Amino acid sequence: MIPKYRLSCVGGGEVVEDISLLSCPNGHDSLLRTGYCSRKLHLAPHEGMYRYLAWLPVTTPLLPSGGAVTFTSDELSRELGLTRLSVSFSGYFPERGATLSTGSFKELEASPTMQRLQELGGKIPVIASAGNTGRAFAELSARCKRPVVIVIPEKAIPRLWTTEPAHDIFLVAVKGDYLDAIVLSNTLAGVPGCVPEGGAKNVARRDGMGTVMLDAAVTTGRIPDHYFQAVGSGTGAIAAWEAAMRLIRDGSYGDRLPQLHLAQNEPFTPMVSAWAARRREIIPAEDMPDAVESIGKVMSDVLTNRNPPYGIRGGLFDALLETQGCMYSVPNAAGAKAEKLIRETVGIDPDPAAAIATAALVEAVEKDIIGAGDHILLNLTGGGYERIREDFTLHAVIPAAVIRPDEPRDALVTRLREWIRHHGRKPDH
Ligand SMILES: *Cc1c(COP(=O)(O)O)cnc(C)c1O
């Protein structure tokens, strides 16, 4: 059988034979990327994101899975004076066909990641998260009854809920911040039977998010001229760029990359700052001084990644370079106004990050950075939490352990090994 896709190193261009790898075996500081043998985007007869199975690195869909939906809002277009504005929504908005029940586009990453690991041999992913990612993986675990290990900062415990009771989650809370969670997750990912989920380096995650761009192109018949999104790690924006490259190669959706318009939330704006200087490196002292204090001030904390895949080959700097991208620094006040605008025009409560993206679009209109008749895609990356609370019973995920960052891990590792014995690789799969 001809394999569905190949992995190659963006920096070196060489094919990577072992498709389970997360980084280049030849040591290039680069993302790996999938190249699909099917040049054409043939639509599959599935609901949600698996309509785009042709360009997802799995052979079988993980169903049921929702997807991003693309629509137009006459009210929002009129309010902004734009004639060809499309909205992509990844969240819960049943009237529009949006059924991501954890409310964010992290579900688009979690679903193919879980499926791919299953197909590659059933290792258990270990995820460090500050909230939305952990919840997305928790939900997928509950729905598909597959094991996951999730490590979060203690203060994120209230964000970890599922819409079905979950029985296959090993949740660890750390009395510290997101960085402490990452450090602990690295230890746990070393336990036999587990693998690090990989973040932006995980191609399933990026290609899953790429379905936002695919759905927009299929719905509107073309690649947009401009793509607006709020970024934390930039993974979603890299994915949009990669999806657009595949669409160009397909030949049916146009031949120009969309210009990326990406927003961060003031005062924590490391990528805005580095890009303004057209610098590939983020210099902490210059681009994110007083990081901890700044992170405490933003309205959208999913946008506060301190170590984003920005400079790495194939990462966000390259995406901005190739698309002549723009970055926006959005203050909370502009975000709050944009949140109101989305509620009143689109009729849904946006995730704070989606409000930040909208505020960047407002700024681009006001400053004439885009034309009133340009084809624009606004990615509302999350929202609908109010409706989720009405329509579902939310089940809290209870931590197996709450530990201090400096505590010895031996006891925890022993418990995890024990848990894997019960939850790892079920005979029925
Ligand atoms: C994570 C997240 C983002 C940022 O996405 P990145 O891929 O990390 O840049 C934006 N919006 C929402 C709702 C998110 O959960």
Side-chain angles (χ1 to χ4, degrees):
M1 212 176 86
I2 302 167
K4 179 177 181 180
Y5 65 92
R6 299 210 292 186
L7 272 194
S8 58
C9 168
V10 178
E14 72 273 35
V15 171
V16 175
E17 300 293 343
D18 179 355
I19 59 166
S20 70
L21 292 180
L22 292 169
S23 20
C24 177
N26 299 326
H28 294 118
D29 180 31
S30 171
L31 295 180
L32 303 182
R33 191 184 285 159
T34 45
Y36 291 95
C37 301
S38 172
R39 183 189 266 266
K40 284 276 173 193
L41 178 58
H42 297 292
L43 301 183
H46 304 297
E47 294 287 309
M49 67 183 300
Y50 289 100
R51 200 173 174 215
Y52 308 107
L53 181 62
W55 289 355
L56 288 170
V58 296
T59 46
T60 310
L62 184 55
L63 299 172
S65 277
V69 295
T70 311
F71 55 83
T72 52
S73 160
D74 293 341
E75 291 85 352
L76 181 61
S77 300
R78 203 175 318 121
E79 219 33 69
L80 295 172
L82 298 171
T83 55
R84 295 189 183 89
L85 170 65
S86 298
V87 173
S88 173
F89 185 80
S90 295
Y92 187 71
F93 194 178
E95 290 77 9
R96 293 288 195 176
T99 58
L100 298 175
S101 58
T102 65
S104 90
F105 77 164
K106 298 299 195 299
E107 244 175 279
L108 306 177
E109 308 182 274
S111 177
T113 296
M114 299 275 280
Q115 178 61 20
R116 187 163 184 266
L117 283 175
Q118 179 78 23
E119 292 181 6
L120 291 180
K123 292 227 169 104
I124 301 170
V126 179
I127 296 115
S129 165
N132 288 356
T133 304
R135 189 170 64 251
F137 275 88
E139 177 75 10
L140 263 291
S141 166
R143 208 184 291 157
C144 307
K145 313 212 168 6
R146 293 185 190 175
V148 291
V149 178
I150 302 172
V151 187
I152 56 170
E154 187 181 28
K155 70 170 195 303
I157 293 176
R159 291 186 181 180
L160 262 277
W161 42 260
T162 54
T163 61
E164 292 175 32
H167 305 289
D168 303 282
I169 302 170
F170 191 85
L171 176 66
V172 182
V174 191
K175 292 178 183 293
D177 64 9
Y178 180 47
L179 276 181
D180 297 310
I182 291 173
V183 172
L184 180 59
S185 78
N186 290 336
T187 305
L188 300 184
V191 172
C194 293
V195 281
E197 176 274 331
K201 294 184 173 171
N202 170 359
V203 293
R205 198 162 165 165
R206 302 210 307 280
D207 293 359
M209 281 186 154
T211 61
V212 167
M213 180 62 74
L214 303 184
D215 191 72
V218 167
T219 305
T220 64
R222 53 165 288 156
I223 299 166
D225 300 315
H226 306 280
Y227 171 83
F228 284 81
Q229 196 209 300
V231 292
S233 66
T235 312
I238 297 165
W241 167 54
E242 292 176 321
M245 287 193 268
R246 291 188 183 112
L247 288 165
I248 290 174
R249 191 162 164 268
D250 173 299
S252 307
Y253 301 94
D255 56 12
R256 280 217 330 259
L257 287 172
Q259 187 175 23
L260 298 184
H261 298 262
L262 309 177
Q264 294 206 286
N265 190 179
E266 226 166 276
F268 186 79
T269 56
M271 295 193 278
V272 181
S273 167
W275 178 245
R278 294 297 183 271
R279 216 185 323 101
R280 184 179 281 278
E281 296 75 38
I282 290 176
I283 302 171
E286 228 165 281
D287 301 322
M288 44 180 178
D290 313 314
V292 174
E293 203 194 320
S294 302
I295 286 172
K297 288 182 181 160
V298 301
M299 68 183 265
S300 171
D301 60 3
V302 299
L303 305 180
T304 58
N305 191 308
R306 270 194 265 181
N307 188 22
Y310 173 79
I312 189 170
R313 292 287 155 182
L316 200 74
F317 180 80
D318 285 339
L320 288 164
L321 209 56
E322 286 204 18
T323 65
Q324 284 140 38
C326 296
M327 295 235 34
Y328 301 76
S329 176
V330 176
N332 286 351
K337 260 176 88 176
E339 183 193 337
K340 192 158 169 280
L341 176 66
I342 293 296
R343 277 180 183 274
E344 290 171 357
T345 55
V346 180
I348 195 78
D349 55 309
D351 185 285
I356 296 294
T358 306
L361 175 58
V362 170
E363 184 180 331
V365 169
E366 281 170 359
K367 293 186 176 163
D368 282 326
I369 297 171
I370 53 173
D374 293 354
H375 288 265
I376 296 156
L377 180 64
L378 170 62
N379 187 354
L380 299 182
T381 46
Y385 300 107
E386 292 170 9
R387 288 293 303 278
I388 291 171
R389 284 175 193 285
E390 283 172 25
D391 289 2
F392 296 95
T393 303
L394 305 187
H395 304 265
V397 183
I398 311 298
V402 182
I403 73 163
R404 290 192 318 273
D406 58 347
E407 238 173 275
R409 279 83 191 265
D410 313 12
L412 183 64
V413 166
T414 306
R415 280 183 63 193
L416 177 57
R417 284 175 191 269
E418 197 55 35
W419 181 85
I420 290 170
R421 218 163 290 142
H422 290 107
H423 292 262
R425 260 196 119 165
K426 302 223 170 118
D428 57 337
H429 290 308

